[in-house]
Amino acid sequence: MSADPLGADPLGVDPLRVDPLGPDALDDTSDGEVTDDGPEPEEMFASGPEVEVELRPQRRLRIWQLAPIVALAATGSLMFAFPLAFDFGDSGAVIAMLGLLICSCAAGWGMMAARRVGYTWPGLPQRGSGRRPDWRVVLAYVVVVAAVAVLAVWRVARLR
């Protein structure tokens, strides 16, 4: 048995002499005063100008957000395209309209997911920027969506 009441350390380190705060403890000077932490102001910028770095991760659409949107869009597109391409009789118009509805829902879901991560449509300002959207860009988007909707409904109506 050892004469040491705390027991001998196998590494040979005396437990009473180990700093309990570890390497983060304040440094003592030789006269017992505590020194300031960190570099001096001259030392801080000796390597060049200060550079800002973004610490937050970039906001991106993840695969679990994209997978259901892509699956719904593909299903809706196929349901819309097959009756139009192969003329499935009386039920073709109903299937095509349901496919158009599912595809439109997937597009809306995708736009909302993209908006939540900060993406915007080309030509439109970022959310929270304080800028107003250009009315010509908004009008162009409305005309394109309306034209696609009219052409789709007209083609489905011609199936009957």
Side-chain angles (χ1 to χ4, degrees), residues 16-97:
L16 297 177
R17 293 193 181 254
V18 174
D19 188 7
L21 298 177
D24 294 332
L26 298 174
D27 295 331
D28 289 334
T29 58
S30 59
D31 58 353
E33 295 178 14
V34 178
T35 61
D36 291 333
D37 286 340
E40 296 297 323
E42 297 82 27
E43 297 172 6
M44 287 179 59
F45 303 112
S47 63
E50 185 176 348
V51 177
E52 291 185 23
V53 177
E54 183 66 40
L55 296 177
R56 292 179 292 174
Q58 215 174 14
R59 298 181 79 180
R60 292 189 184 139
L61 286 174
R62 305 284 183 228
I63 188 68
W64 59 269
Q65 291 171 313
L66 288 175
I69 296 168
V70 170
L72 275 178
T75 303
S77 297
L78 290 175
M79 287 176 68
F80 181 66
F82 274 102
L84 298 179
F86 300 114
D87 196 20
F88 282 158
D90 292 339
S91 65
V94 175
I95 293 172
M97 285 304 285

